[in-house]
Amino acid sequence: MNKNKWIAVFVCLVLTAAAFIGSTGLFYTTYRPIRNYDIVAFVASWVGLIYYLYRDRNRD
């Protein structure tokens, strides 16, 4: 993997963490369980990233 792909993975991790904290109120308010559509969004974004990384694996 090249530098741009590592940056994409890092950004996806940061956005996932931010969305999780915002969705659940972790660290700043009463904790709320994560909602099902949030889980679907997390899974869809990671599956999409993995798909593009897999599809692009031989272009380096």
Side-chain angles (χ1 to χ4, degrees):
M1 285 182 35
N2 63 17
K3 183 179 177 183
N4 290 333
K5 290 179 184 178
W6 282 113
I7 291 171
V9 169
F10 176 74
V11 168
C12 202
L13 278 170
V14 169
L15 291 175
T16 299
F20 179 79
I21 290 169
S23 176
T24 60
L26 192 63
F27 303 125
Y28 69 93
T29 188
T30 305
Y31 180 78
R32 302 177 297 269
I34 193 162
R35 298 169 290 219
N36 288 338
Y37 60 88
D38 291 334
I39 293 172
V40 171
F42 292 153
V43 170
S45 65
W46 279 100
V47 166
L49 178 66
I50 291 168
Y51 168 74
Y52 283 110
L53 290 175
Y54 179 76
R55 186 184 75 167
D56 211 32
R57 71 189 181 282
N58 293 329
R59 292 189 185 177
D60 289 338

